[in-house]
Amino acid sequence: MHTYNEANTHELILAHQHRVQLYEQAKRNADSGFLHNEYDRKRYLDELFSHRVIAQLSEVKAELASHGYGSELEIKTEQLEHNNMVVDVIYEVVFTFNGTPVNDPPISSDDSQMVFFTQSGSTYLACRYKTALVSSQIQALYFDDEGYSHFLAQVGSKTLWHEHTHSHSELSSLISDFIALNFIQKRANLSRI
């Protein structure tokens, strides 16, 4: 039988403190320089959706599937006109996962979702998740905890920086927390009071 280990709790505390520091640094870095017009803003957010959010959620979905867990990824787009061209840009991504193996009877598909979305006039993506028991507050995602500011200092491009970073710890933390919460709810058979 496993007994309580003080070191495990200490590691959780340190990991939490480190994640908070990364998030605060990301916000400071991301606030330091942003885009000018609505078209650039929406294209920038579309790139974040495509190269960060969808890329990472696709990896998570594949990993869950390899262990027999089902999840869904829904991408919502809108059309944007600029210089007589029409482009589709992503404005929302919904990741649905309820912690139930594929063979088990499905729980309501909207019981457990992470929704990544844009907010009017904002230069950040936002995320909110809900499970059968809890709903999170809206979390702004700055995507600068792994080097956007460093990239700007070295190269100067604001549109292709995502190609130079491969670790997305801010997003990873949020996804890990969401999946862990689903598994905790299943293991503990939690229910609303």
Side-chain angles (χ1 to χ4, degrees):
M1 165 147 265
H2 186 73
T3 58
Y4 172 72
N5 183 342
E6 191 175 302
N8 291 345
T9 304
H10 181 72
E11 287 176 23
L12 284 172
I13 292 168
L14 292 178
H16 168 72
Q17 290 171 337
H18 180 68
R19 288 159 96 178
V20 168
Q21 288 172 346
L22 283 174
Y23 185 78
E24 289 169 354
Q25 183 62 43
K27 181 180 183 335
R28 283 191 298 275
N29 293 344
D31 283 340
S32 67
F34 261 108
L35 309 167
H36 356 303
N37 63 41
E38 187 72 0
Y39 175 79
D40 287 343
R41 183 183 74 80
K42 287 187 175 184
R43 291 291 295 170
Y44 171 73
L45 293 173
D46 180 72
E47 284 188 23
L48 288 178
F49 273 125
S50 299
H51 299 286
R52 292 296 198 112
V53 174
I54 294 170
Q56 188 142 353
L57 288 175
S58 295
E59 290 177 14
V60 169
K61 184 177 178 184
E63 178 65 19
L64 289 169
S66 74
H67 293 281
Y69 292 97
S71 59
E72 297 298 324
L73 194 56
E74 180 184 356
I75 300 166
K76 298 179 182 179
T77 62
E78 65 180 333
Q79 291 191 328
L80 186 62
E81 188 175 339
H82 183 69
N83 292 337
N84 296 322
M85 290 179 51
V86 176
V87 251
D88 287 334
V89 292
I90 301 168
Y91 69 90
E92 184 175 289
V93 173
V94 180
F95 179 74
T96 305
F97 172 68
N98 63 26
T100 304
V102 175
N103 301 344
D104 288 0
I107 295 174
S108 170
S109 65
D110 64 349
D111 265 356
S112 191
Q113 295 182 335
M114 291 187 83
V115 180
F116 297 87
F117 56 96
T118 60
Q119 294 177 305
S120 180
S122 175
T123 51
Y124 308 121
L125 294 184
C127 178
R128 184 171 194 173
Y129 62 79
K130 69 174 186 157
T131 68
L133 299 176
V134 298
S135 292
S136 72
Q137 294 181 347
I138 293 174
Q139 174 83 39
L141 298 171
Y142 303 109
F143 294 105
D144 199 343
D145 56 346
E146 296 295 336
Y148 173 56
S149 296
H150 175 73
F151 177 73
L152 282 180
Q154 300 300 314
V155 181
S157 171
K158 289 188 179 182
T159 57
L160 297 176
W161 65 276
H162 54 78
E163 294 176 3
H164 298 270
T165 58
H166 301 289
S167 175
H168 319 304
S169 65
E170 180 185 341
L171 179 60
S172 296
S173 294
L174 193 59
I175 294 170
S176 295
D177 291 346
F178 171 72
I179 291 172
L181 182 59
N182 276 282
F183 283 138
I184 289 168
Q185 285 181 198
K186 296 292 179 195
R187 270 196 323 270
N189 295 318
L190 300 175
S191 61
R192 288 192 190 273
I193 295 178

